[in-house]
Amino acid sequence: MQKKPELLAPAGNFEKMRMAILYGADAVYLGGKSFGLRALGGNFDREELREAVTYAHEHGKKVYVTVNIFPHNADLASLPDYLLYLNKIHVDALLVADLGVFSFCRTWIPNMEIHISTQANNTNWATVNAWKDLGAKRVVLAREMSMEEIRTIRKKCDVDLELFVHGAMCISYSGRCLLSNYFTGRDSNRGNCAQSCRWKYSLVEETRPGKYFPIEEDERGTYIMNSKDMCLLSYLSDVIETGVNSLKIEGRMKSIHYVASVVRTYRSAIDAYYKDPAHFTVRQEWIEELGKVSHRPYTTGFYFHKPTEKDQLYGNSSYEQSSDFVGLVLAYDTTSGYATVEQRNNMKVGQKIEFFQPHGELFHQTLADMRDEDGASIDIAPHPQQIIRIHMEHPVEPYTILRRNLTIGL
């Protein structure tokens, strides 16, 4: 049997990175304050990068840093110093898209492991082998490929392959988009995407300014470039059997709830497959778990067929979810049975709350005894990020997520 593939998770900030690691990721990818393609994702300053690497390594996990912008001349002046710093703090690998940046890496930090970003449009075995010959350790495959094409690349290429399995889909080829530049002046290829593809569009005829015609016959207009989100959980055995080395989750700008839920779901599924491949089935609770986080309806993208209108969302750009993230356990006192919780949304006595743990079983409890920081009994936690104490019917792990089911009106 082939080696179990790495589960690679997004980390937009330190809190998200910690949750990804605690909920089962083997590695995380993240960006510094420059040279990455998610400038609005929070990201890490230099000291935070050092702390992130230390934390991950203490937990036996890896950190990959994105250096995947398409730089202009002015961007190159500070690049060597940044690369030397990443090497100094022992980052495990860099994600690179531009050949010039790749060349800088080989010159300034020749022993650093380099992964080629999906932004480089890696759609065939010749390209993959070319990057390997230049010294790349891994190539991230483009999302505009079929499973059959991926199998062919695996047969013809002796290099690590990374594959997106879950998250948002970009309307532009491998994410190389100019819409954001055109409408807002924010360069998506240098880290400042405004997500213009998610906006609502209508048609305007030149001689009739101000008169808007819906591109579809719908009075609301149409979101003509708004893709559904990718989800390959139902086809996990097919994905693993392609022989790829790393399964990647998109979402550095998503919430800690999203990161924890998606990571633990894929962790559970991957481990179940390797426990008994011949009898592996996708469990309904895994499918339901992915519905609890904020997401667009799911699609398999290009992997099993060329996308059609069924893979787009023309009517709106809204997200859906079946659960609300309401709190995060900071600590649990085994003597008193109280959990210290940071409130993230409205909670009140009498609500049925779901406790989603990093490792333990999911369970439900109706809130009956809730107290403020001074120990006074309270019926509701009204203040954002208020610290409260909840008496637990069962022990609970630190960094457990508290959720309220939205489908039953609680």
Side-chain angles (χ1 to χ4, degrees), residues 111-400:
N111 295 322
M112 174 63 71
E113 184 171 307
I114 304 299
H115 298 176
I116 305 304
S117 169
T118 187
Q119 300 288 129
N121 310 132
N122 306 302
T123 59
N124 63 78
W125 59 264
T127 295
V128 173
N129 278 334
W131 281 116
K132 179 204 171 185
D133 291 344
L134 288 171
K137 176 69 166 79
R138 177 183 295 181
V139 175
V140 186
L141 297 175
R143 277 171 275 198
E144 297 83 9
M145 302 177 65
S146 69
M147 283 293 174
E148 188 57 40
E149 289 176 305
I150 294 166
R151 293 187 189 98
T152 299
I153 290 175
R154 177 71 291 166
K155 290 176 183 176
K156 289 181 174 287
C157 301
D158 182 22
V159 66
D160 281 2
L161 301 177
E162 183 175 299
L163 182 71
F164 279 95
V165 295
H166 196 94
M169 293 279 286
C170 182
I171 195 66
S172 188
Y173 200 84
S174 291
R176 298 176 71 166
C177 182
L178 292 175
L179 286 176
S180 178
N181 306 49
Y182 181 78
F183 287 119
T184 70
R186 287 164 46 179
D187 191 342
S188 56
N189 296 311
R190 297 170 81 185
N192 281 301
C193 179
Q195 297 200 2
S196 306
C197 58
R198 311 300 182 192
W199 300 352
K200 183 170 73 173
Y201 292 89
S202 292
L203 183 67
V204 178
E205 200 277 322
E206 181 180 14
T207 63
R208 287 178 278 185
K211 188 169 184 178
Y212 297 90
F213 299 91
I215 300 172
E216 291 270 300
E217 290 189 11
D218 186 329
E219 69 279 0
R220 296 171 299 173
T222 180
Y223 295 81
I224 56 175
M225 293 172 284
N226 189 35
S227 173
K228 292 181 179 180
D229 285 355
M230 176 188 291
C231 177
L232 294 186
L233 179 67
S234 296
Y235 303 92
L236 185 65
S237 58
D238 294 309
V239 170
I240 290 174
E241 288 160 16
T242 63
V244 296
N245 305 91
S246 180
L247 308 185
K248 188 172 192 174
I249 297 167
E250 185 278 337
R252 278 189 284 157
M253 297 176 69
K254 299 292 182 67
S255 69
I256 65 168
H257 179 208
Y258 172 93
V259 171
S261 179
V262 176
V263 166
R264 169 137 192 205
T265 299
Y266 278 89
R267 174 80 282 147
S268 299
I270 293 168
D271 291 349
Y273 174 88
Y274 275 85
K275 186 175 181 180
D276 188 4
H279 300 96
F280 174 77
T281 58
V282 176
R283 299 173 190 169
Q284 182 59 31
E285 61 261 35
W286 297 339
I287 300 294
E288 292 174 357
E289 182 60 41
L290 295 181
K292 292 177 181 179
V293 299
S294 178
H295 67 285
R296 300 180 186 90
Y298 290 126
T299 176
T300 57
F302 290 78
Y303 291 137
F304 296 100
H305 60 82
K306 289 186 177 180
T308 69
E309 70 281 357
K310 295 181 180 179
D311 299 290
Q312 298 293 113
L313 294 174
Y314 295 117
N316 61 69
S317 186
S318 62
Y319 291 80
E320 57 187 51
Q321 63 189 92
S322 63
S323 291
D324 229 356
F325 172 34
V326 298
L328 183 68
V329 173
L330 303 180
Y332 174 70
D333 187 337
T334 56
T335 302
S336 67
Y338 278 89
T340 301
V341 174
E342 183 181 77
Q343 178 256 24
R344 296 295 180 96
N345 210 326
N346 176 273
M347 281 190 291
K348 59 185 178 182
V349 169
Q351 286 180 333
K352 187 177 182 180
I353 299 296
E354 183 178 65
F355 290 79
F356 180 63
Q357 304 187 85
H359 303 99
E361 293 294 321
L362 181 150
F363 66 91
H364 295 81
Q365 175 180 319
T366 300
L367 296 183
D369 183 353
M370 197 160 62
R371 300 177 181 273
D372 64 18
E373 287 187 272
D374 297 323
S377 180
I378 57 175
D379 292 328
I380 188 169
H383 307 302
Q385 296 188 295
Q386 180 177 355
I387 303 301
I388 60 175
R389 300 177 70 225
I390 297 174
H391 190 266
M392 300 300 303
E393 298 172 1
H394 311 281
V396 65
E397 300 170 31
Y399 300 106
T400 289

